[in-house]
């Protein structure tokens, strides 16, 4: 019996590039030996999640998440709770596409991304669990992590990662520390911090040096706690990130590996961000599910074929130069 694949795609992602290339994408998966069908997500809540669960229970061997990080997160949430999970493939078509960036999957050409399946290579990747929800790239809490909620979707579509830089500069003056109670493997932080991050890849918001030693399948999160809320200090920390990942040794940062985190607020609300979207409020327990999803990836480290982000590089360089001028 021939294997079956279901492409779950966001028809509005990437300026509708997926819709325009869908015939070619279908041909790629057919060539790889899959009887392939397509599902276009709708505005209804959990559209991608519910479809992923449905086809997994029907015995499909491959589910393709085609869209931005939000579509991927929904598909992961549809697959991760199941005892029998099909293989996952990714066709990125969003703004930052952090997970695809970490896997060296082409981010500017949907057909090239689909062709990764032709190498017949995959790896079992870690998945994060936060309460009853799942995430595959990043979780966080604190005022700075609320940035992604405030960037309008049309701005993200047009300007991509630069939209986050602009919005981040606007938000920085409003950052205030909040009291947190964070318990992790071998440690306990209780005090004021502007945010914490639980990273599963080296790419967060388009920056590839926040977690320079990230591993996708070791069963561990990288925990980052930013203890300062001082505008100048945060700007300098970001400059260190851009300038070679030198932030990990800064005394204003706690940088640890952990398999679990228990996060509690202290006399305040603490919203939780999962893969760039609101994921509920703390208290919350986070667990790393080691090698939980078999994911199509170019094991031979196929170079990323995305167009060079010259605008982003120039913006980062100017940022570092301006931070160097701060008193």
């Amino acid at each position: 019996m021939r294997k079956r694949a279901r492409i779950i795609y966001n028809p509005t992602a990437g300026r509708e590039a997926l819709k325009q290339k869908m015939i070619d994408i279908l041909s790629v998966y057919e060539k790889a030996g899959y009887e392939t069908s397509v599902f276009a997500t709708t505005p209804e809540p959990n559209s991608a999640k519910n479809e992923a669960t449905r086809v997994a229970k029907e015995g499909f061997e491959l589910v393709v998440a085609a869209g931005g990080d939000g579509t991927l997160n929904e598909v992961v949430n549809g697959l991760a709770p199941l005892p029998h999970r099909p293989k996952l493939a990714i066709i990125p078509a969003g703004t930052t596409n952090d997970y695809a960036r970490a896997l060296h999957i082409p981010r500017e050409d949907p057909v090239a991304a689909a062709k990764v399946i032709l190498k017949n290579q995959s790896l079992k990747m870690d998945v994060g669990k936060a309460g009853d929800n799942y995430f595959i790239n990043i979780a966080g809490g604190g005022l700075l992590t609320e940035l992604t909620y405030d960037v309008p979707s049309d701005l993200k579509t047009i300007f991509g990662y630069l939209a986050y830089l602009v919005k981040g500069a606007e938000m920085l003056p409003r950052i205030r520390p909040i009291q947190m109670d964070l318990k992790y493997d071998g440690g306990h932080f209780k005090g004021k911090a502007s945010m914490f991050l639980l990273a599963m890849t080296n790419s967060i918001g388009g920056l590839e040096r926040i977690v320079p030693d990230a591993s996708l399948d070791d069963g561990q999160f990288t925990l980052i706690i930013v203890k300062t809320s001082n505008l100048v200090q945060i700007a300098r920390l970001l400059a260190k990130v851009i300038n070679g990942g030198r932030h990990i040794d800064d005394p204003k940062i706690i940088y640890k590996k952990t398999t679990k985190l228990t996060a509690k607020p202290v006399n305040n609300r603490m919203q939780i961000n999962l893969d760039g979207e609101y994921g509920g409020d703390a208290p919350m327990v986070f667990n790393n599910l080691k090698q939980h999803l078999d994911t199509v990836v170019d094991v031979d480290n196929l170079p990323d074929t995305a167009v060079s982000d010259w605008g982003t590089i120039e913006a980062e360089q100017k940022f570092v130069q301006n931070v160097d001028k701060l008193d």
Side-chain angles (χ1 to χ4, degrees), residues 48-67:
K49 174 184 175 181
N50 293 338
E51 178 65 8
T53 299
R54 186 188 72 79
V55 297
K57 289 182 176 179
E58 285 194 7
F60 279 62
E61 288 81 6
L62 177 68
V63 173
V64 183

Side-chain angles (χ1 to χ4, degrees), residues 47-312:
S47 173
K49 174 184 175 181
N50 293 338
E51 178 65 8
T53 299
R54 186 188 72 79
V55 297
K57 289 182 176 179
E58 285 194 7
F60 279 62
E61 288 81 6
L62 177 68
V63 173
V64 183
D69 291 329
T71 302
L72 175 59
N73 177 268
E74 271 203 48
V75 170
V76 168
N77 272 271
L79 300 180
L82 304 177
H84 301 289
R85 299 173 293 277
K87 188 174 293 185
L88 172 68
I90 301 165
I91 299 178
T95 304
T96 52
N97 300 305
D98 278 315
Y99 201 66
R101 185 188 297 267
L103 297 184
H104 296 284
I105 293 173
R107 303 189 310 279
E108 299 293 333
D109 184 344
V111 178
K115 286 181 178 178
V116 175
I117 192 73
L118 299 176
K119 299 198 72 171
N120 196 30
Q121 297 177 343
S122 66
L123 288 175
K124 293 184 177 180
M125 301 296 186
D126 297 345
V127 172
K129 186 176 183 183
D132 295 326
N133 297 313
Y134 299 84
F135 62 100
I136 202 166
N137 191 60
I138 185 72
L143 295 180
L144 199 54
T145 65
E146 297 172 21
L147 164 64
T148 54
Y149 313 146
D150 293 337
V151 179
S153 58
D154 56 347
L155 190 64
K156 286 191 284 188
T157 299
I158 297 170
F159 294 110
Y161 168 46
L162 294 180
Y164 289 100
L165 287 181
V166 171
K167 191 65 182 182
E170 177 186 319
M171 284 189 64
L172 281 174
R174 309 201 319 253
I175 299 298
R176 297 291 182 273
I178 62 175
Q179 291 282 350
M180 300 183 184
D181 187 329
L182 306 174
K183 292 183 179 179
Y184 51 93
D185 293 355
H188 184 193
F189 172 82
K190 189 171 184 180
K192 288 185 177 182
S194 60
M195 70 171 173
F196 76 85
L197 295 173
L198 275 180
M200 304 188 72
T201 78
N202 68 333
S203 181
I204 302 173
L207 292 172
E208 297 185 10
R209 293 172 288 271
I210 291 182
V211 187
D213 58 349
S215 175
L216 297 167
D217 62 352
D218 65 351
Q220 291 187 311
F221 299 117
T222 300
L223 171 65
I224 302 172
I225 304 172
V226 181
K227 294 185 286 184
T228 181
S229 64
N230 178 275
L231 174 61
V232 173
Q233 291 177 346
I234 288 178
R236 284 179 172 154
L237 285 173
L238 183 54
K240 285 187 175 183
V241 171
I242 294 171
N243 195 21
R246 295 185 293 111
H247 60 294
I248 64 175
D249 297 319
D250 193 287
K252 293 177 284 296
I253 293 282
I254 293 176
Y255 189 95
K256 298 288 184 181
K257 299 293 183 180
T258 185
T259 60
K260 182 178 180 180
L261 176 74
T262 300
K264 299 178 181 178
V266 180
N267 300 321
N268 50 256
R269 181 186 183 192
M270 184 162 65
Q271 298 182 60
I272 300 300
N273 185 312
L274 301 178
D275 288 341
E277 304 292 338
Y278 173 66
D281 286 7
M284 192 170 289
V285 177
F286 303 83
N287 288 286
N288 190 303
L289 306 181
K290 185 176 182 179
Q291 299 180 7
H292 194 68
L293 274 182
D294 193 14
T295 306
V296 175
V297 59
D298 184 356
V299 178
D300 300 325
N301 294 315
L302 177 71
D304 195 336
T305 59
V307 176
S308 298
D309 298 325
W310 292 112
T312 297

